[in-house]
Amino acid sequence: MKLSEIFGTAWEGITLNKVRSFLTTLGVIIGVASVIIMLAVSAGAEAAIAEQINGLGANLIIVAPIRGVPGASRTLLLDDAIAIEKQVVGISGVTAEQLPPPQTVKANNVSLDSIPMIGTTSSFPSVRDYPVALGRYFNNDEDERKSKVVVLGSGLAKDLFGDESPLGQTVTIGTTKFTVMGVMSPKGMVADVDYDGRVYMPISIVIQKYMPTTTLGGDRVRTIYIKAESQEKIPSAIAQITSLMATRHEVPVSKPDFTVQTQQDIIATQEATTAAFRDLLAWVAGVSLVVGGIGIMNIMLVSVTERTREIGLRQALGAKPSDVLLQFLIEAVILSLVGGIVGVLSGVGGSYLFGSLGSMRTAIVPLSIPLAFGAAAAVGIFFGYYPATRAAQLDPIDALRRE
Amino acid sequence: MSESLIEVRELTKVYGADDTEVRALDGVNVDVQRGEFVAIMGHSGSGKSTLMNILGCLDRPTGGEYILDGRDVSRLDKNELASVRNQKIGFVFQSFNLLPRMSALANVSLPMLYNGTEKLSAKDREARAAKALESVGLGNRLHHHPNQLSGGQQQRVAIARALINQPALILADEPTGNLDSKSSVDIMNILHKLHQQGTTIVMVTHETDVAAHAQRVICVKDGKVISDGRDGHSPCLGQAVGGGNETE
């Protein structure tokens, strides 16, 4: 029997009960689609994380305190940032940041509650690759003199002043009046922080006015960002920073109370988490594909039983065991391949749909398409083989006698 | 090639073993000449169905020889038996055994799909199936499905299917068992016509009036041939052999 004829015969078997064939295929469709969607979702999450972290600025080294390390009594100080800037070679800039509690901001007739604040040193725009769009950033002098000046995020400037120029205008933060020196360029959300909605002010003012006084002497900061001169200088800079900080904090290098990381380190850490998550999702999706395969086997067994008489007749008319085997095997494979095709289409469509909903980013992994499709075909052959051999081994006399 | 289409020598078929041993066929010897129309009669359990299955190459004998068209087919494997059934034998069943979802044309074409020696194109197959259906008077029912046909028409489709690979032998198992008397007459007329055209027919039946159509009647009882008569001179025809309408 020619293969095309066997295909025809198998197709007739499938169309015999369309609803049942569709429901059987549904298992594979869901399996294949979920493999593709799960991988697209986790690839999308990875891409989003990498983009956000890279969005912090280029060639950055990030120093942050570890809290709760036994014996670590000190946290990061503004003096640490100054010391790094003076002593470490191969860096082009250092900035320190501190985040005070959100404040009420008033300008003209507008009053906005809970506006996030950030205190930085004057080098913030250059270290973080985040330029000022209008006016200028405060300089080092203004920072040291604790001048009451601020720079506004682009969105906040619009909210407070509309189309009016905010430059030189006065804003009241809490009860203190500040002069607006500049407006930052639009940046959007990076790592869950809305850069356009913040007030940027000298870190000296933040430490003086908004942070509880430290009992340890010195001015605590939240994060220190160091910009290396180039990618190649990063390892040496990290080594210098680590040893300098350990000395300043009087802790052994092996047991620091701070972390020194690059963006790549952070991306790698994040990716390790998402990779584990992705593998889990892929396994779950893979299991659903196998369950779909069991569905095919189940329905093929029912089909063989129901069509025993047909099988007997075909045998009487000259069908060899191999003809019967192929007929039912190909039927199972067609079911799973159709499920595979529809599953790939709905997986790709579903990935785009999830991505367009906005809450989630998706990136279709090209390899996942042949992978899922191939797995569907393999499932069809694997789970179709047993029912097909059952059909092929039927005795024609018994089969013909069956009602 | 010998004159005999079928030569059966000391055929036995034994089911089970030792205490539970059942000898369904116990040393059967039958010859059927080319062009003969033979009826096999017997009660339920007489062994006539077992004989039919072996003659139809659906089953293999435990012992003895079965030579069909000059070839010993008693020891062939499943694949060889399938191809013998396809090439040499056309089956007509009591319950027609048409595939319900297929047109008459597709049902008649079915044996050609499994024909390994004569590979026909789809178009040739269709033409040949149409011709076969015309020869049984169903030229205007080619695309009807079995449920759109009467019992007699369905059995005619089955006969067209049996003839499609030009077999050496037509095996009819109670061909009129599910038909009313008028349709039965039609079917017997078709079988007669085929016989006159030289087709060899072996028919199993328990109805004496149906068996009377045959040239020759072989009576089977307890796995043995008890009589073999020609031209109406069979002891079987004198008495009621069958018991009701049961099939074995």
Side-chain angles (χ1 to χ4, degrees):
Chain A
M1 198 174 178
K2 278 189 262 171
L3 209 59
S4 62
E5 291 157 2
I6 299 180
F7 262 98
T9 309
W11 184 251
E12 278 159 20
I14 289 168
T15 50
L16 209 71
N17 196 331
K18 294 192 184 69
V19 174
R20 194 166 75 186
S21 298
F22 169 72
L23 291 177
T24 309
T25 314
L26 203 57
V28 178
I29 293 175
I30 292 172
V32 167
S34 53
V35 167
I36 291 172
I37 292 175
M38 295 300 177
L39 289 176
V41 165
S42 38
E46 271 173 34
I49 289 168
E51 190 175 275
Q52 287 188 345
I53 292 167
N54 286 324
L56 294 174
N59 297 333
L60 273 192
I61 298 165
I62 300 143
V63 181
I66 301 177
R67 295 194 174 79
V69 173
S73 55
R74 288 158 60 105
T75 51
L76 286 187
L77 301 176
L78 190 53
D79 286 346
D80 290 331
I82 293 164
I84 289 169
E85 187 158 27
K86 278 186 183 147
Q87 295 177 34
V88 174
V89 221
I91 60 175
S92 61
V94 177
T95 185
E97 294 181 11
Q98 182 55 284
L99 298 174
Q103 306 288 329
T104 301
V105 177
K106 277 180 250 171
N108 299 338
N109 308 321
V110 188
S111 173
L112 300 171
D113 285 333
S114 299
I115 297 300
M117 308 275 122
I118 178 169
T120 75
T121 59
S122 58
S123 52
F124 174 79
S126 65
V127 173
R128 295 288 303 273
D129 296 332
Y130 180 32
V132 171
L134 204 60
R136 62 172 178 84
Y137 212 72
F138 48 82
N139 57 34
N140 199 33
D141 255 14
E142 287 158 336
D143 184 18
E144 277 178 5
R145 284 192 279 110
K146 301 191 177 69
S147 301
K148 293 194 176 56
V149 292
V150 290
V151 177
L152 302 177
S154 62
L156 182 63
K158 212 168 189 72
D159 288 346
L160 289 170
F161 296 102
D163 294 334
E164 219 179 312
S165 168
L167 293 184
Q169 304 255 29
T170 301
V171 291
T172 313
I173 297 174
T175 53
T176 318
K177 286 188 181 341
F178 288 81
T179 306
V180 178
M181 301 213 63
V183 177
M184 303 302 291
S185 52
K187 190 174 172 85
M189 298 282 293
V190 176
D192 290 334
V193 173
D194 179 12
Y195 276 64
D196 298 339
R198 300 199 292 187
V199 175
Y200 299 83
M201 55 173 70
I203 196 165
S204 55
I205 293 274
V206 167
I207 289 166
Q208 184 194 48
K209 284 191 77 75
Y210 300 108
M211 301 309 288
T213 42
T214 166
T215 51
L216 297 163
D219 310 318
R220 274 187 295 165
V221 297
R222 192 180 180 88
T223 320
I224 299 172
Y225 291 90
I226 300 107
K227 192 179 185 64
E229 278 173 1
S230 65
Q231 183 88 41
E232 293 72 44
K233 302 257 167 89
I234 290 177
S236 129
I238 288 177
Q240 295 174 61
I241 293 164
T242 309
S243 106
L244 174 65
M245 292 289 290
T247 314
R248 288 182 56 83
H249 287 199
E250 295 162 351
V251 292
V253 174
S254 58
K255 265 199 229 161
D257 60 348
F258 56 88
T259 61
V260 182
Q261 284 184 301
T262 62
Q263 286 145 299
Q264 275 60 44
D265 294 336
I266 298 173
I267 292 170
T269 316
Q270 293 284 353
E271 272 179 0
T273 322
T274 51
F277 190 58
R278 177 196 61 210
D279 290 351
L280 180 72
L281 287 179
W283 275 111
V284 170
V287 167
S288 73
L289 195 53
V290 171
V291 172
I294 295 171
I296 287 184
M297 178 156 76
N298 188 19
I299 228 63
M300 290 308 297
L301 283 173
V302 171
S303 178
V304 168
T305 309
E306 278 182 356
R307 289 155 68 193
T308 299
R309 216 182 153 83
E310 176 194 327
I311 295 164
L313 173 73
R314 286 178 184 275
Q315 287 174 323
L317 299 182
K320 294 181 173 66
S322 59
D323 292 327
V324 176
L325 180 95
L326 274 179
Q327 178 189 337
F328 282 89
L329 188 58
I330 287 175
E331 207 173 305
V333 171
I334 289 177
L335 280 178
S336 63
L337 285 188
V338 169
I341 292 169
V342 178
V344 164
L345 293 179
S346 30
V348 169
S351 301
Y352 279 119
L353 185 71
F354 279 127
S356 68
L357 290 179
S359 60
M360 206 187 291
R361 197 163 135 182
T362 55
I364 290 161
V365 183
L367 187 66
S368 70
I369 291 171
L371 191 81
F373 191 73
V379 156
I381 293 169
F382 185 80
F383 289 103
Y385 193 77
Y386 172 64
T389 42
R390 286 257 298 236
Q393 283 165 0
L394 281 172
D395 178 50
I397 299 165
D398 288 342
L400 274 170
R401 206 176 285 153
R402 206 84 60 85
E403 283 309 318
Chain B
M1 206 181 278
S2 74
E3 268 297 291
S4 297
L5 178 66
I6 292 173
E7 289 174 57
V8 166
R9 297 277 168 271
E10 291 303 321
L11 205 65
T12 56
K13 180 70 184 180
V14 181
Y15 294 106
D18 302 329
D19 292 352
T20 58
E21 186 180 284
V22 176
R23 302 183 78 83
L25 290 179
D26 196 2
V28 171
N29 291 289
V30 173
D31 274 25
V32 175
Q33 308 301 308
R34 286 175 198 282
E36 267 193 305
F37 186 172
V38 180
I40 298 176
M41 295 191 76
H43 290 281
S44 294
S46 61
K48 70 176 192 295
S49 287
T50 307
L51 180 57
M52 182 81 176
N53 288 337
I54 292 173
L55 291 180
C57 289
L58 291 164
D59 202 356
R60 280 179 295 194
T62 313
E65 259 189 352
Y66 171 23
I67 293 160
L68 173 66
D69 205 9
R71 182 183 184 194
D72 185 355
V73 294
S74 40
R75 301 286 174 270
L76 297 182
D77 68 20
K78 280 184 173 184
N79 283 328
E80 291 166 323
L81 284 176
S83 106
V84 170
R85 289 195 296 269
N86 183 257
Q87 304 290 309
K88 302 282 184 194
I89 302 167
F91 288 93
V92 178
F93 303 94
Q94 179 179 1
S95 51
F96 326 136
N97 276 328
L98 301 177
L99 295 185
R101 303 272 176 152
M102 286 184 180
S103 68
L105 207 56
N107 266 293
V108 173
S109 300
L110 213 48
M112 289 187 279
L113 286 184
Y114 298 110
N115 190 335
T117 54
E118 190 184 11
K119 292 203 187 290
L120 295 169
S121 71
K123 213 177 134 201
D124 290 346
R125 285 202 302 261
E126 194 161 306
R128 198 153 134 188
K131 217 173 141 201
L133 279 166
E134 276 159 27
S135 76
V136 294
L138 288 175
N140 55 346
R141 296 277 192 282
L142 300 183
H143 300 286
H144 285 56
H145 282 225
N147 59 3
Q148 297 167 311
L149 299 170
S150 73
Q153 287 170 330
Q154 289 187 49
Q155 193 62 301
R156 281 193 270 164
V157 173
I159 291 173
R161 181 180 64 191
L163 293 168
I164 200 71
N165 273 346
Q166 292 147 350
L169 171 69
I170 295 286
L171 266 183
D173 187 359
E174 307 269 6
T176 59
N178 279 8
L179 297 176
D180 58 44
S181 47
K182 190 189 169 297
S183 301
S184 298
V185 170
D186 286 349
I187 294 302
M188 290 318 296
N189 285 340
I190 291 175
L191 291 179
H192 259 299
K193 205 174 89 192
L194 289 172
H195 173 227
Q196 277 158 12
Q197 288 163 358
T199 311
T200 314
I201 301 170
V202 172
M203 176 177 71
V204 170
T205 184
H206 58 255
E207 292 172 69
T208 46
D209 50 338
V210 171
H213 286 266
Q215 278 179 306
R216 176 181 165 198
V217 177
I218 295 169
C219 250
V220 181
K221 191 180 181 186
D222 298 331
K224 290 187 165 77
V225 174
I226 54 165
S227 71
D228 190 345
R230 286 169 195 275
D231 304 320
H233 300 297
S234 167
C236 272
L237 292 177
Q239 66 215 5
V241 228
N245 272 327
E246 87 281 33
T247 54
E248 284 171 57

